[in-house]
mmCIF file with all atom_site columns, all heavy atoms in Angstrom:
data_model
loop_
_atom_site.group_PDB
_atom_site.id
_atom_site.type_symbol
_atom_site.label_atom_id
_atom_site.label_alt_id
_atom_site.label_comp_id
_atom_site.label_asym_id
_atom_site.label_entity_id
_atom_site.label_seq_id
_atom_site.pdbx_PDB_ins_code
_atom_site.Cartn_x
_atom_site.Cartn_y
_atom_site.Cartn_z
_atom_site.occupancy
_atom_site.B_iso_or_equiv
_atom_site.pdbx_formal_charge
_atom_site.auth_seq_id
_atom_site.auth_comp_id
_atom_site.auth_asym_id
_atom_site.auth_atom_id
_atom_site.pdbx_PDB_model_num
ATOM 1   N N   . ARG A 1 136 ? -22.129 -15.822 9.422  1.00 0.00 ? 327 ARG A N   1
ATOM 2   C CA  . ARG A 1 136 ? -22.866 -14.827 10.204 1.00 0.00 ? 327 ARG A CA  1
ATOM 3   C C   . ARG A 1 136 ? -22.265 -13.434 9.999  1.00 0.00 ? 327 ARG A C   1
ATOM 4   O O   . ARG A 1 136 ? -22.973 -12.461 9.783  1.00 0.00 ? 327 ARG A O   1
ATOM 5   C CB  . ARG A 1 136 ? -22.873 -15.204 11.686 1.00 0.00 ? 327 ARG A CB  1
ATOM 6   C CG  . ARG A 1 136 ? -23.638 -14.215 12.561 1.00 0.00 ? 327 ARG A CG  1
ATOM 7   C CD  . ARG A 1 136 ? -23.689 -14.631 14.029 1.00 0.00 ? 327 ARG A CD  1
ATOM 8   N NE  . ARG A 1 136 ? -22.373 -14.609 14.642 1.00 0.00 ? 327 ARG A NE  1
ATOM 9   C CZ  . ARG A 1 136 ? -21.666 -15.680 15.018 1.00 0.00 ? 327 ARG A CZ  1
ATOM 10  N NH1 . ARG A 1 136 ? -22.162 -16.888 14.867 1.00 0.00 ? 327 ARG A NH1 1
ATOM 11  N NH2 . ARG A 1 136 ? -20.482 -15.555 15.570 1.00 0.00 ? 327 ARG A NH2 1
ATOM 12  N N   . ARG A 1 137 ? -20.954 -13.340 10.025 1.00 0.00 ? 328 ARG A N   1
ATOM 13  C CA  . ARG A 1 137 ? -20.288 -12.051 9.843  1.00 0.00 ? 328 ARG A CA  1
ATOM 14  C C   . ARG A 1 137 ? -20.507 -11.505 8.435  1.00 0.00 ? 328 ARG A C   1
ATOM 15  O O   . ARG A 1 137 ? -20.752 -10.311 8.244  1.00 0.00 ? 328 ARG A O   1
ATOM 16  C CB  . ARG A 1 137 ? -18.793 -12.180 10.158 1.00 0.00 ? 328 ARG A CB  1
ATOM 17  C CG  . ARG A 1 137 ? -18.561 -12.410 11.642 1.00 0.00 ? 328 ARG A CG  1
ATOM 18  C CD  . ARG A 1 137 ? -17.115 -12.655 11.961 1.00 0.00 ? 328 ARG A CD  1
ATOM 19  N NE  . ARG A 1 137 ? -16.941 -12.866 13.400 1.00 0.00 ? 328 ARG A NE  1
ATOM 20  C CZ  . ARG A 1 137 ? -15.813 -13.245 13.952 1.00 0.00 ? 328 ARG A CZ  1
ATOM 21  N NH1 . ARG A 1 137 ? -14.734 -13.440 13.205 1.00 0.00 ? 328 ARG A NH1 1
ATOM 22  N NH2 . ARG A 1 137 ? -15.741 -13.416 15.255 1.00 0.00 ? 328 ARG A NH2 1
ATOM 23  N N   . ILE A 1 138 ? -20.425 -12.367 7.451  1.00 0.00 ? 329 ILE A N   1
ATOM 24  C CA  . ILE A 1 138 ? -20.662 -11.941 6.072  1.00 0.00 ? 329 ILE A CA  1
ATOM 25  C C   . ILE A 1 138 ? -22.105 -11.480 5.903  1.00 0.00 ? 329 ILE A C   1
ATOM 26  O O   . ILE A 1 138 ? -22.371 -10.445 5.282  1.00 0.00 ? 329 ILE A O   1
ATOM 27  C CB  . ILE A 1 138 ? -20.288 -13.072 5.090  1.00 0.00 ? 329 ILE A CB  1
ATOM 28  C CG1 . ILE A 1 138 ? -18.760 -13.221 5.061  1.00 0.00 ? 329 ILE A CG1 1
ATOM 29  C CG2 . ILE A 1 138 ? -20.859 -12.826 3.702  1.00 0.00 ? 329 ILE A CG2 1
ATOM 30  C CD1 . ILE A 1 138 ? -18.260 -14.495 4.416  1.00 0.00 ? 329 ILE A CD1 1
ATOM 31  N N   . ASP A 1 139 ? -23.054 -12.215 6.472  1.00 0.00 ? 330 ASP A N   1
ATOM 32  C CA  . ASP A 1 139 ? -24.462 -11.805 6.401  1.00 0.00 ? 330 ASP A CA  1
ATOM 33  C C   . ASP A 1 139 ? -24.676 -10.447 7.054  1.00 0.00 ? 330 ASP A C   1
ATOM 34  O O   . ASP A 1 139 ? -25.437 -9.615  6.540  1.00 0.00 ? 330 ASP A O   1
ATOM 35  C CB  . ASP A 1 139 ? -25.368 -12.853 7.049  1.00 0.00 ? 330 ASP A CB  1
ATOM 36  C CG  . ASP A 1 139 ? -25.489 -14.127 6.239  1.00 0.00 ? 330 ASP A CG  1
ATOM 37  O OD1 . ASP A 1 139 ? -25.094 -14.148 5.044  1.00 0.00 ? 330 ASP A OD1 1
ATOM 38  O OD2 . ASP A 1 139 ? -25.968 -15.138 6.805  1.00 0.00 ? 330 ASP A OD2 1
ATOM 39  N N   . LEU A 1 140 ? -24.009 -10.203 8.180  1.00 0.00 ? 331 LEU A N   1
ATOM 40  C CA  . LEU A 1 140 ? -24.110 -8.896  8.834  1.00 0.00 ? 331 LEU A CA  1
ATOM 41  C C   . LEU A 1 140 ? -23.547 -7.795  7.944  1.00 0.00 ? 331 LEU A C   1
ATOM 42  O O   . LEU A 1 140 ? -24.127 -6.708  7.832  1.00 0.00 ? 331 LEU A O   1
ATOM 43  C CB  . LEU A 1 140 ? -23.392 -8.909  10.184 1.00 0.00 ? 331 LEU A CB  1
ATOM 44  C CG  . LEU A 1 140 ? -24.075 -9.690  11.300 1.00 0.00 ? 331 LEU A CG  1
ATOM 45  C CD1 . LEU A 1 140 ? -23.121 -9.899  12.480 1.00 0.00 ? 331 LEU A CD1 1
ATOM 46  C CD2 . LEU A 1 140 ? -25.351 -8.993  11.748 1.00 0.00 ? 331 LEU A CD2 1
ATOM 47  N N   . MET A 1 141 ? -22.423 -8.057  7.296  1.00 0.00 ? 332 MET A N   1
ATOM 48  C CA  . MET A 1 141 ? -21.854 -7.066  6.388  1.00 0.00 ? 332 MET A CA  1
ATOM 49  C C   . MET A 1 141 ? -22.789 -6.797  5.220  1.00 0.00 ? 332 MET A C   1
ATOM 50  O O   . MET A 1 141 ? -23.008 -5.642  4.835  1.00 0.00 ? 332 MET A O   1
ATOM 51  C CB  . MET A 1 141 ? -20.499 -7.517  5.867  1.00 0.00 ? 332 MET A CB  1
ATOM 52  C CG  . MET A 1 141 ? -19.852 -6.468  4.962  1.00 0.00 ? 332 MET A CG  1
ATOM 53  S SD  . MET A 1 141 ? -18.350 -7.018  4.143  1.00 0.00 ? 332 MET A SD  1
ATOM 54  C CE  . MET A 1 141 ? -18.984 -8.191  2.971  1.00 0.00 ? 332 MET A CE  1
ATOM 55  N N   . LEU A 1 142 ? -23.364 -7.854  4.655  1.00 0.00 ? 333 LEU A N   1
ATOM 56  C CA  . LEU A 1 142 ? -24.267 -7.688  3.514  1.00 0.00 ? 333 LEU A CA  1
ATOM 57  C C   . LEU A 1 142 ? -25.531 -6.924  3.887  1.00 0.00 ? 333 LEU A C   1
ATOM 58  O O   . LEU A 1 142 ? -26.164 -6.318  3.024  1.00 0.00 ? 333 LEU A O   1
ATOM 59  C CB  . LEU A 1 142 ? -24.619 -9.056  2.915  1.00 0.00 ? 333 LEU A CB  1
ATOM 60  C CG  . LEU A 1 142 ? -23.468 -9.801  2.249  1.00 0.00 ? 333 LEU A CG  1
ATOM 61  C CD1 . LEU A 1 142 ? -23.920 -11.184 1.801  1.00 0.00 ? 333 LEU A CD1 1
ATOM 62  C CD2 . LEU A 1 142 ? -22.895 -9.002  1.087  1.00 0.00 ? 333 LEU A CD2 1
ATOM 63  N N   . ALA A 1 143 ? -25.880 -6.943  5.164  1.00 0.00 ? 334 ALA A N   1
ATOM 64  C CA  . ALA A 1 143 ? -27.081 -6.230  5.623  1.00 0.00 ? 334 ALA A CA  1
ATOM 65  C C   . ALA A 1 143 ? -26.820 -4.744  5.896  1.00 0.00 ? 334 ALA A C   1
ATOM 66  O O   . ALA A 1 143 ? -27.768 -3.988  6.105  1.00 0.00 ? 334 ALA A O   1
ATOM 67  C CB  . ALA A 1 143 ? -27.629 -6.899  6.886  1.00 0.00 ? 334 ALA A CB  1
ATOM 68  N N   . LEU A 1 144 ? -25.552 -4.331  5.891  1.00 0.00 ? 335 LEU A N   1
ATOM 69  C CA  . LEU A 1 144 ? -25.253 -2.923  6.158  1.00 0.00 ? 335 LEU A CA  1
ATOM 70  C C   . LEU A 1 144 ? -25.797 -2.027  5.043  1.00 0.00 ? 335 LEU A C   1
ATOM 71  O O   . LEU A 1 144 ? -25.697 -2.384  3.863  1.00 0.00 ? 335 LEU A O   1
ATOM 72  C CB  . LEU A 1 144 ? -23.737 -2.708  6.262  1.00 0.00 ? 335 LEU A CB  1
ATOM 73  C CG  . LEU A 1 144 ? -23.039 -3.297  7.475  1.00 0.00 ? 335 LEU A CG  1
ATOM 74  C CD1 . LEU A 1 144 ? -21.519 -3.147  7.337  1.00 0.00 ? 335 LEU A CD1 1
ATOM 75  C CD2 . LEU A 1 144 ? -23.520 -2.627  8.754  1.00 0.00 ? 335 LEU A CD2 1
ATOM 76  N N   . PRO A 1 145 ? -26.326 -0.880  5.404  1.00 0.00 ? 336 PRO A N   1
ATOM 77  C CA  . PRO A 1 145 ? -26.812 0.070   4.385  1.00 0.00 ? 336 PRO A CA  1
ATOM 78  C C   . PRO A 1 145 ? -25.624 0.854   3.809  1.00 0.00 ? 336 PRO A C   1
ATOM 79  O O   . PRO A 1 145 ? -25.399 2.015   4.148  1.00 0.00 ? 336 PRO A O   1
ATOM 80  C CB  . PRO A 1 145 ? -27.775 0.958   5.179  1.00 0.00 ? 336 PRO A CB  1
ATOM 81  C CG  . PRO A 1 145 ? -27.211 0.946   6.571  1.00 0.00 ? 336 PRO A CG  1
ATOM 82  C CD  . PRO A 1 145 ? -26.620 -0.428  6.761  1.00 0.00 ? 336 PRO A CD  1
ATOM 83  N N   . LEU A 1 146 ? -24.857 0.217   2.961  1.00 0.00 ? 337 LEU A N   1
ATOM 84  C CA  . LEU A 1 146 ? -23.599 0.787   2.478  1.00 0.00 ? 337 LEU A CA  1
ATOM 85  C C   . LEU A 1 146 ? -23.761 2.181   1.868  1.00 0.00 ? 337 LEU A C   1
ATOM 86  O O   . LEU A 1 146 ? -22.920 3.049   2.078  1.00 0.00 ? 337 LEU A O   1
ATOM 87  C CB  . LEU A 1 146 ? -22.941 -0.156  1.468  1.00 0.00 ? 337 LEU A CB  1
ATOM 88  C CG  . LEU A 1 146 ? -22.540 -1.525  1.993  1.00 0.00 ? 337 LEU A CG  1
ATOM 89  C CD1 . LEU A 1 146 ? -21.928 -2.368  0.886  1.00 0.00 ? 337 LEU A CD1 1
ATOM 90  C CD2 . LEU A 1 146 ? -21.581 -1.413  3.154  1.00 0.00 ? 337 LEU A CD2 1
ATOM 91  N N   . ALA A 1 147 ? -24.826 2.376   1.122  1.00 0.00 ? 338 ALA A N   1
ATOM 92  C CA  . ALA A 1 147 ? -25.012 3.662   0.447  1.00 0.00 ? 338 ALA A CA  1
ATOM 93  C C   . ALA A 1 147 ? -25.269 4.811   1.412  1.00 0.00 ? 338 ALA A C   1
ATOM 94  O O   . ALA A 1 147 ? -25.005 5.965   1.092  1.00 0.00 ? 338 ALA A O   1
ATOM 95  C CB  . ALA A 1 147 ? -26.158 3.553   -0.558 1.00 0.00 ? 338 ALA A CB  1
ATOM 96  N N   . SER A 1 148 ? -25.771 4.486   2.608  1.00 0.00 ? 339 SER A N   1
ATOM 97  C CA  . SER A 1 148 ? -26.121 5.566   3.535  1.00 0.00 ? 339 SER A CA  1
ATOM 98  C C   . SER A 1 148 ? -25.110 5.765   4.660  1.00 0.00 ? 339 SER A C   1
ATOM 99  O O   . SER A 1 148 ? -25.290 6.640   5.494  1.00 0.00 ? 339 SER A O   1
ATOM 100 C CB  . SER A 1 148 ? -27.512 5.319   4.119  1.00 0.00 ? 339 SER A CB  1
ATOM 101 O OG  . SER A 1 148 ? -27.506 4.152   4.912  1.00 0.00 ? 339 SER A OG  1
ATOM 102 N N   . LEU A 1 149 ? -24.044 4.970   4.689  1.00 0.00 ? 340 LEU A N   1
ATOM 103 C CA  . LEU A 1 149 ? -23.020 5.108   5.730  1.00 0.00 ? 340 LEU A CA  1
ATOM 104 C C   . LEU A 1 149 ? -21.820 5.876   5.190  1.00 0.00 ? 340 LEU A C   1
ATOM 105 O O   . LEU A 1 149 ? -21.348 5.585   4.089  1.00 0.00 ? 340 LEU A O   1
ATOM 106 C CB  . LEU A 1 149 ? -22.549 3.740   6.225  1.00 0.00 ? 340 LEU A CB  1
ATOM 107 C CG  . LEU A 1 149 ? -23.548 2.904   7.010  1.00 0.00 ? 340 LEU A CG  1
ATOM 108 C CD1 . LEU A 1 149 ? -22.975 1.513   7.286  1.00 0.00 ? 340 LEU A CD1 1
ATOM 109 C CD2 . LEU A 1 149 ? -23.918 3.584   8.311  1.00 0.00 ? 340 LEU A CD2 1
#
Side-chain angles (χ1 to χ4, degrees):
R327 181 178 66 250
R328 291 175 180 172
I329 289 166
D330 289 346
L331 288 167
M332 183 188 70
L333 293 175
L335 290 173
L337 298 179
S339 65
L340 292 174

